[in-house]
Amino acid sequence: MILLSILRVGDEAYGVPIAREMETTGDRTVVLSAVYTALDRLEENGLVSSSMGDPTPERGGRAKRFFRVTPTGLKAVRQTRKALTQLWAGLAQLEGGRS
Amino acid sequence: MSARKPSPIAVLLLDRFVASEALRGDLIESGAERSTAWFWHQVLAALLAQAIWSFRTTPRLTTESVLVATAMLALIGFNAVVVANLLSQLFLLNDGAWILDSGRYAGWQIYATVPLFAIAVMSGRAIGALHREHRVWAILGCGLSASTAAFVNFYLFVPSVPLQPFIPNPAQQTAVALLFAGGLFMGISSRSACEPLPSL
């Protein structure tokens, strides 16, 4: 979900818009520190890369950290979509939008 | 929606304890558009995440740091309580009979801890601002503030202090003084280059 949110936000993907995207699409409150914990793990695994931006006054002079999905991350997203599509297919309980 | 300034205490906690500059900035940026409850929820979650991360990455160092800091604050707190008790005895010797009326608000001490901590942080910030370059004055200021706070605490919350055993409820009074000392150092370290009193 985080990888998809970064892709949807695009070049301006830092913590705030990523969390906002997750809140909007997931319809739930997101804890920013949990997002950063997940992003750090994704970076350790080479699925995202990050770079520090310039400090801005509205953040009290604190810099933004911009995230980008790496080619490995893109590959992982595609593989996950494929796996989910296969798992989804043929499940009678999920047909017709009823729970 | 107009931008709101986030709670300075929450920002202070973030700056002191959360290592990630980007996360701190994100929280402050988002806090300007969200409710106070949302902001505090996020700040507490960030502090918890930082504590877990510290214990996971450097368990021994973090445990030692917490124990040493607690022991140091408890020692300073106990010293402040001893000084406050001696002061109350001194007042009685010099016909300060008013000290016998102490403890008018006994039972309210627990509710006073929050304002006490806020006063400690503000006092620490003032000491840090006034004595940025002078460590000795900062140490003396800290000691004086902690002892005064312990004395006021005695006067307000402990009945007939001078007639009681040397230190009434020592653990409780030391815990209160420890809290004050912690707030004091948090305040002073937010404004000053002084290290928190390793030599005391």
Short mmCIF file of all heavy atoms in Angstrom, two decimals, chain B residues 76-94 96 98-100 102 143-144 146-155 157-171 173-174 177:
data_model
loop_
_atom_site.label_atom_id
_atom_site.label_comp_id
_atom_site.label_asym_id
_atom_site.label_seq_id
_atom_site.Cartn_x
_atom_site.Cartn_y
_atom_site.Cartn_z
N ILE B 76 19.21 14.01 42.43
CA ILE B 76 19.00 15.47 42.49
C ILE B 76 17.69 15.78 43.20
O ILE B 76 17.61 16.69 44.03
CB ILE B 76 19.02 16.07 41.06
CG1 ILE B 76 20.42 15.93 40.47
CG2 ILE B 76 18.60 17.53 41.07
CD1 ILE B 76 20.49 16.16 38.99
N GLY B 77 16.65 15.00 42.88
CA GLY B 77 15.34 15.18 43.51
C GLY B 77 15.43 14.99 45.02
O GLY B 77 14.90 15.79 45.80
N PHE B 78 16.16 13.93 45.44
CA PHE B 78 16.30 13.65 46.88
C PHE B 78 17.05 14.79 47.56
O PHE B 78 16.67 15.23 48.65
CB PHE B 78 17.03 12.32 47.08
CG PHE B 78 17.12 11.91 48.51
CD1 PHE B 78 15.99 11.48 49.21
CD2 PHE B 78 18.33 11.97 49.19
CE1 PHE B 78 16.08 11.12 50.54
CE2 PHE B 78 18.42 11.60 50.52
CZ PHE B 78 17.29 11.18 51.20
N ASN B 79 18.10 15.29 46.91
CA ASN B 79 18.85 16.43 47.46
C ASN B 79 17.93 17.63 47.65
O ASN B 79 18.00 18.31 48.68
CB ASN B 79 20.00 16.83 46.52
CG ASN B 79 21.16 15.87 46.63
OD1 ASN B 79 21.27 15.15 47.60
ND2 ASN B 79 22.01 15.85 45.63
N ALA B 80 17.09 17.89 46.66
CA ALA B 80 16.17 19.03 46.74
C ALA B 80 15.21 18.85 47.91
O ALA B 80 14.91 19.81 48.64
CB ALA B 80 15.40 19.18 45.44
N VAL B 81 14.74 17.61 48.11
CA VAL B 81 13.80 17.34 49.21
C VAL B 81 14.50 17.56 50.56
O VAL B 81 13.93 18.14 51.49
CB VAL B 81 13.25 15.90 49.09
CG1 VAL B 81 12.49 15.49 50.33
CG2 VAL B 81 12.33 15.80 47.87
N VAL B 82 15.76 17.11 50.66
CA VAL B 82 16.52 17.30 51.90
C VAL B 82 16.69 18.79 52.20
O VAL B 82 16.46 19.25 53.33
CB VAL B 82 17.90 16.60 51.80
CG1 VAL B 82 18.79 17.00 52.97
CG2 VAL B 82 17.73 15.09 51.78
N VAL B 83 17.07 19.55 51.17
CA VAL B 83 17.26 21.01 51.36
C VAL B 83 15.95 21.66 51.79
O VAL B 83 15.92 22.49 52.70
CB VAL B 83 17.80 21.65 50.05
CG1 VAL B 83 17.78 23.17 50.17
CG2 VAL B 83 19.21 21.18 49.76
N ALA B 84 14.84 21.26 51.14
CA ALA B 84 13.53 21.83 51.47
C ALA B 84 13.16 21.52 52.92
O ALA B 84 12.64 22.37 53.64
CB ALA B 84 12.48 21.29 50.52
N ASN B 85 13.49 20.29 53.37
CA ASN B 85 13.17 19.92 54.74
C ASN B 85 14.00 20.72 55.74
O ASN B 85 13.48 21.19 56.76
CB ASN B 85 13.43 18.42 54.91
CG ASN B 85 12.65 17.86 56.08
OD1 ASN B 85 13.09 17.97 57.21
ND2 ASN B 85 11.47 17.31 55.81
N LEU B 86 15.28 20.88 55.40
CA LEU B 86 16.14 21.69 56.27
C LEU B 86 15.64 23.13 56.34
O LEU B 86 15.65 23.76 57.42
CB LEU B 86 17.59 21.67 55.76
CG LEU B 86 18.33 20.34 55.94
CD1 LEU B 86 19.67 20.37 55.24
CD2 LEU B 86 18.51 20.02 57.42
N LEU B 87 15.19 23.65 55.21
CA LEU B 87 14.65 25.02 55.17
C LEU B 87 13.45 25.15 56.10
O LEU B 87 13.32 26.14 56.83
CB LEU B 87 14.24 25.40 53.74
CG LEU B 87 15.32 25.93 52.82
CD1 LEU B 87 14.76 26.14 51.42
CD2 LEU B 87 15.86 27.25 53.35
N SER B 88 12.57 24.16 56.06
CA SER B 88 11.37 24.23 56.90
C SER B 88 11.75 24.19 58.38
O SER B 88 11.14 24.88 59.20
CB SER B 88 10.39 23.11 56.55
OG SER B 88 10.93 21.87 56.89
N GLN B 89 12.77 23.38 58.74
CA GLN B 89 13.24 23.34 60.13
C GLN B 89 13.82 24.71 60.52
O GLN B 89 13.60 25.20 61.62
CB GLN B 89 14.32 22.26 60.29
CG GLN B 89 13.91 20.88 59.86
CD GLN B 89 12.97 20.20 60.84
OE1 GLN B 89 12.85 20.64 61.98
NE2 GLN B 89 12.28 19.17 60.39
N LEU B 90 14.56 25.28 59.57
CA LEU B 90 15.20 26.58 59.80
C LEU B 90 14.16 27.67 60.04
O LEU B 90 14.29 28.51 60.93
CB LEU B 90 16.06 26.92 58.59
CG LEU B 90 17.19 27.91 58.78
CD1 LEU B 90 18.25 27.34 59.71
CD2 LEU B 90 17.83 28.25 57.44
N PHE B 91 13.09 27.64 59.24
CA PHE B 91 12.02 28.61 59.40
C PHE B 91 11.40 28.51 60.79
O PHE B 91 11.08 29.52 61.42
CB PHE B 91 10.93 28.39 58.34
CG PHE B 91 11.21 29.10 57.05
CD1 PHE B 91 11.37 28.40 55.88
CD2 PHE B 91 11.31 30.48 57.01
CE1 PHE B 91 11.64 29.05 54.68
CE2 PHE B 91 11.58 31.15 55.83
CZ PHE B 91 11.74 30.42 54.67
N LEU B 92 11.23 27.29 61.25
CA LEU B 92 10.61 27.09 62.56
C LEU B 92 11.52 27.61 63.67
O LEU B 92 11.06 28.22 64.64
CB LEU B 92 10.29 25.61 62.77
CG LEU B 92 9.24 25.34 63.84
CD1 LEU B 92 7.89 25.88 63.40
CD2 LEU B 92 9.13 23.85 64.11
N LEU B 93 12.82 27.36 63.51
CA LEU B 93 13.79 27.86 64.51
C LEU B 93 13.75 29.38 64.59
O LEU B 93 13.93 29.96 65.66
CB LEU B 93 15.21 27.41 64.12
CG LEU B 93 15.59 25.97 64.45
CD1 LEU B 93 16.99 25.67 63.95
CD2 LEU B 93 15.51 25.73 65.96
N ASN B 94 13.54 30.02 63.46
CA ASN B 94 13.52 31.50 63.42
C ASN B 94 12.11 32.05 63.56
O ASN B 94 11.75 33.03 62.93
CB ASN B 94 14.15 31.99 62.12
CG ASN B 94 15.65 31.85 62.17
OD1 ASN B 94 16.32 32.47 62.99
ND2 ASN B 94 16.17 30.98 61.34
N GLY B 96 9.32 31.02 62.42
CA GLY B 96 8.47 30.96 61.24
C GLY B 96 7.31 30.02 61.48
O GLY B 96 7.19 28.98 60.83
N TRP B 98 4.40 30.04 60.72
CA TRP B 98 3.46 29.84 59.60
C TRP B 98 3.68 28.52 58.89
O TRP B 98 2.78 27.97 58.28
CB TRP B 98 3.58 30.99 58.59
CG TRP B 98 4.97 31.24 58.10
CD1 TRP B 98 5.90 32.03 58.67
CD2 TRP B 98 5.59 30.66 56.95
NE1 TRP B 98 7.06 32.00 57.95
CE2 TRP B 98 6.90 31.17 56.89
CE3 TRP B 98 5.18 29.77 55.96
CZ2 TRP B 98 7.80 30.82 55.88
CZ3 TRP B 98 6.07 29.42 54.95
CH2 TRP B 98 7.37 29.94 54.93
N ILE B 99 4.91 27.99 59.02
CA ILE B 99 5.21 26.73 58.33
C ILE B 99 4.38 25.58 58.94
O ILE B 99 4.13 24.57 58.31
CB ILE B 99 6.72 26.43 58.38
CG1 ILE B 99 7.11 25.35 57.36
CG2 ILE B 99 7.18 25.99 59.75
CD1 ILE B 99 7.09 25.81 55.96
N LEU B 100 3.93 25.81 60.21
CA LEU B 100 3.11 24.78 60.86
C LEU B 100 1.74 24.65 60.19
O LEU B 100 1.04 23.67 60.36
CB LEU B 100 2.93 25.10 62.34
CG LEU B 100 4.21 24.94 63.19
CD1 LEU B 100 3.98 25.47 64.59
CD2 LEU B 100 4.65 23.49 63.23
N SER B 102 1.32 24.34 57.15
CA SER B 102 1.53 23.70 55.84
C SER B 102 0.56 22.53 55.61
O SER B 102 -0.05 22.04 56.56
CB SER B 102 2.96 23.21 55.73
OG SER B 102 3.21 22.29 56.76
N GLY B 143 19.62 24.01 40.95
CA GLY B 143 19.55 23.58 42.35
C GLY B 143 18.59 24.44 43.14
O GLY B 143 17.75 23.92 43.90
N LEU B 144 18.67 25.75 42.93
CA LEU B 144 17.80 26.69 43.65
C LEU B 144 16.33 26.46 43.26
O LEU B 144 15.45 26.42 44.12
CB LEU B 144 18.23 28.12 43.31
CG LEU B 144 17.63 29.21 44.18
CD1 LEU B 144 18.15 29.09 45.61
CD2 LEU B 144 17.97 30.59 43.62
N ALA B 146 14.94 23.73 42.01
CA ALA B 146 14.44 22.42 42.49
C ALA B 146 14.17 22.49 43.99
O ALA B 146 13.14 21.97 44.46
CB ALA B 146 15.46 21.33 42.17
N SER B 147 15.06 23.13 44.74
CA SER B 147 14.87 23.22 46.20
C SER B 147 13.65 24.09 46.53
O SER B 147 12.86 23.76 47.42
CB SER B 147 16.11 23.82 46.87
OG SER B 147 17.22 23.02 46.58
N THR B 148 13.49 25.19 45.80
CA THR B 148 12.32 26.06 46.03
C THR B 148 11.04 25.30 45.73
O THR B 148 10.07 25.37 46.49
CB THR B 148 12.41 27.32 45.12
OG1 THR B 148 13.68 27.92 45.33
CG2 THR B 148 11.32 28.30 45.44
N ALA B 149 11.06 24.59 44.61
CA ALA B 149 9.86 23.82 44.23
C ALA B 149 9.55 22.76 45.28
O ALA B 149 8.38 22.56 45.65
CB ALA B 149 10.06 23.17 42.87
N ALA B 150 10.59 22.10 45.79
CA ALA B 150 10.38 21.07 46.82
C ALA B 150 9.81 21.71 48.09
O ALA B 150 8.93 21.14 48.74
CB ALA B 150 11.69 20.35 47.12
N PHE B 151 10.31 22.90 48.43
CA PHE B 151 9.81 23.59 49.63
C PHE B 151 8.35 24.00 49.46
O PHE B 151 7.52 23.78 50.35
CB PHE B 151 10.69 24.81 49.93
CG PHE B 151 10.26 25.55 51.16
CD1 PHE B 151 10.51 25.04 52.42
CD2 PHE B 151 9.56 26.75 51.06
CE1 PHE B 151 10.10 25.71 53.55
CE2 PHE B 151 9.14 27.42 52.19
CZ PHE B 151 9.41 26.90 53.45
N VAL B 152 8.04 24.58 48.31
CA VAL B 152 6.65 24.98 48.03
C VAL B 152 5.74 23.74 48.05
O VAL B 152 4.63 23.77 48.59
CB VAL B 152 6.54 25.72 46.67
CG1 VAL B 152 5.10 25.97 46.29
CG2 VAL B 152 7.30 27.04 46.74
N ASN B 153 6.26 22.67 47.49
CA ASN B 153 5.52 21.40 47.47
C ASN B 153 5.23 20.93 48.90
O ASN B 153 4.11 20.53 49.23
CB ASN B 153 6.36 20.36 46.71
CG ASN B 153 5.67 19.04 46.62
OD1 ASN B 153 4.57 18.95 46.09
ND2 ASN B 153 6.30 18.01 47.14
N PHE B 154 6.25 21.01 49.76
CA PHE B 154 6.07 20.67 51.18
C PHE B 154 4.99 21.55 51.81
O PHE B 154 4.09 21.07 52.47
CB PHE B 154 7.38 20.91 51.93
CG PHE B 154 8.24 19.68 52.04
CD1 PHE B 154 9.53 19.78 52.55
CD2 PHE B 154 7.79 18.43 51.67
CE1 PHE B 154 10.34 18.67 52.66
CE2 PHE B 154 8.59 17.32 51.77
CZ PHE B 154 9.87 17.44 52.27
N TYR B 155 5.14 22.86 51.59
CA TYR B 155 4.24 23.81 52.24
C TYR B 155 2.78 23.59 51.81
O TYR B 155 1.86 23.68 52.62
CB TYR B 155 4.67 25.25 51.94
CG TYR B 155 3.80 26.26 52.64
CD1 TYR B 155 3.78 26.33 54.03
CD2 TYR B 155 2.95 27.09 51.93
CE1 TYR B 155 2.96 27.22 54.69
CE2 TYR B 155 2.12 27.98 52.58
CZ TYR B 155 2.14 28.04 53.97
OH TYR B 155 1.31 28.92 54.62
N PHE B 157 1.40 20.75 50.30
CA PHE B 157 0.81 19.41 50.29
C PHE B 157 1.16 18.51 51.48
O PHE B 157 0.59 17.44 51.60
CB PHE B 157 1.21 18.68 49.00
CG PHE B 157 0.86 19.45 47.75
CD1 PHE B 157 1.83 19.95 46.93
CD2 PHE B 157 -0.47 19.67 47.42
CE1 PHE B 157 1.52 20.66 45.79
CE2 PHE B 157 -0.81 20.39 46.29
CZ PHE B 157 0.19 20.88 45.47
N VAL B 158 2.12 18.90 52.31
CA VAL B 158 2.50 18.02 53.43
C VAL B 158 2.16 18.72 54.75
O VAL B 158 2.71 19.77 55.05
CB VAL B 158 4.01 17.68 53.38
CG1 VAL B 158 4.36 16.71 54.50
CG2 VAL B 158 4.37 17.09 52.03
N PRO B 159 1.23 18.13 55.54
CA PRO B 159 0.80 18.80 56.78
C PRO B 159 1.92 18.88 57.82
O PRO B 159 2.64 17.91 58.02
CB PRO B 159 -0.34 17.91 57.28
CG PRO B 159 -0.70 17.02 56.14
CD PRO B 159 0.52 16.89 55.29
N SER B 160 2.05 20.03 58.45
CA SER B 160 2.97 20.28 59.57
C SER B 160 4.36 19.68 59.32
O SER B 160 4.85 18.85 60.08
CB SER B 160 2.40 19.69 60.87
OG SER B 160 1.13 20.22 61.08
N VAL B 161 4.98 20.12 58.25
CA VAL B 161 6.26 19.54 57.82
C VAL B 161 7.30 19.45 58.95
O VAL B 161 7.84 18.37 59.19
CB VAL B 161 6.86 20.36 56.65
CG1 VAL B 161 8.19 19.78 56.22
CG2 VAL B 161 5.91 20.40 55.49
N PRO B 162 7.58 20.52 59.69
CA PRO B 162 8.70 20.45 60.64
C PRO B 162 8.45 19.50 61.80
O PRO B 162 9.38 19.10 62.47
CB PRO B 162 8.83 21.89 61.16
CG PRO B 162 8.02 22.73 60.24
CD PRO B 162 6.97 21.85 59.69
N LEU B 163 7.18 19.16 62.05
CA LEU B 163 6.88 18.27 63.18
C LEU B 163 6.92 16.80 62.76
O LEU B 163 6.83 15.91 63.60
CB LEU B 163 5.49 18.60 63.75
CG LEU B 163 5.31 20.04 64.22
CD1 LEU B 163 3.91 20.24 64.78
CD2 LEU B 163 6.35 20.38 65.28
N GLN B 164 7.08 16.56 61.50
CA GLN B 164 7.07 15.19 60.99
C GLN B 164 8.48 14.61 61.09
O GLN B 164 9.44 15.32 61.35
CB GLN B 164 6.61 15.20 59.53
CG GLN B 164 5.17 15.65 59.42
CD GLN B 164 4.39 14.77 58.48
OE1 GLN B 164 4.74 13.62 58.25
NE2 GLN B 164 3.32 15.29 57.93
N PRO B 165 8.63 13.27 60.84
CA PRO B 165 9.98 12.70 60.75
C PRO B 165 10.79 13.47 59.71
O PRO B 165 10.22 14.19 58.89
CB PRO B 165 9.72 11.27 60.27
CG PRO B 165 8.31 10.99 60.57
CD PRO B 165 7.59 12.29 60.67
N PHE B 166 12.10 13.25 59.71
CA PHE B 166 12.99 14.11 58.92
C PHE B 166 12.47 14.40 57.51
O PHE B 166 12.38 15.53 57.09
CB PHE B 166 14.39 13.50 58.86
CG PHE B 166 15.34 14.40 58.11
CD1 PHE B 166 15.55 15.71 58.53
CD2 PHE B 166 15.99 13.95 56.98
CE1 PHE B 166 16.40 16.55 57.85
CE2 PHE B 166 16.85 14.79 56.29
CZ PHE B 166 17.06 16.09 56.71
N ILE B 167 12.10 13.35 56.77
CA ILE B 167 11.48 13.59 55.46
C ILE B 167 10.17 12.80 55.41
O ILE B 167 10.20 11.57 55.35
CB ILE B 167 12.38 13.15 54.30
CG1 ILE B 167 13.67 13.98 54.32
CG2 ILE B 167 11.68 13.34 52.96
CD1 ILE B 167 14.69 13.52 53.34
N PRO B 168 9.03 13.48 55.45
CA PRO B 168 7.76 12.75 55.37
C PRO B 168 7.55 12.18 53.97
O PRO B 168 7.84 12.86 52.98
CB PRO B 168 6.71 13.82 55.70
CG PRO B 168 7.39 15.12 55.46
CD PRO B 168 8.84 14.92 55.59
N ASN B 169 7.05 10.97 53.87
CA ASN B 169 6.82 10.27 52.58
C ASN B 169 8.01 10.46 51.62
O ASN B 169 7.84 11.03 50.54
CB ASN B 169 5.55 10.79 51.89
CG ASN B 169 4.34 10.67 52.78
OD1 ASN B 169 4.24 9.70 53.53
ND2 ASN B 169 3.44 11.63 52.71
N PRO B 170 9.20 9.99 52.00
CA PRO B 170 10.39 10.31 51.18
C PRO B 170 10.27 9.85 49.73
O PRO B 170 10.67 10.59 48.82
CB PRO B 170 11.53 9.58 51.90
CG PRO B 170 10.88 8.61 52.81
CD PRO B 170 9.53 9.13 53.14
N ALA B 171 9.70 8.65 49.49
CA ALA B 171 9.63 8.15 48.11
C ALA B 171 8.74 9.04 47.26
O ALA B 171 9.09 9.42 46.14
CB ALA B 171 9.11 6.72 48.11
N GLN B 173 7.84 12.20 47.85
CA GLN B 173 8.40 13.54 47.67
C GLN B 173 9.57 13.53 46.69
O GLN B 173 9.73 14.44 45.88
CB GLN B 173 8.85 14.13 49.02
CG GLN B 173 7.75 14.25 50.06
CD GLN B 173 6.49 14.91 49.51
OE1 GLN B 173 6.56 15.83 48.69
NE2 GLN B 173 5.33 14.41 49.90
N THR B 174 10.39 12.45 46.75
CA THR B 174 11.51 12.34 45.81
C THR B 174 11.00 12.17 44.39
O THR B 174 11.56 12.73 43.44
CB THR B 174 12.43 11.16 46.19
OG1 THR B 174 12.86 11.37 47.54
CG2 THR B 174 13.65 11.09 45.29
N ALA B 177 9.97 15.51 43.16
CA ALA B 177 11.17 16.32 42.88
C ALA B 177 11.89 15.80 41.63
O ALA B 177 12.45 16.59 40.86
CB ALA B 177 12.10 16.31 44.08
#
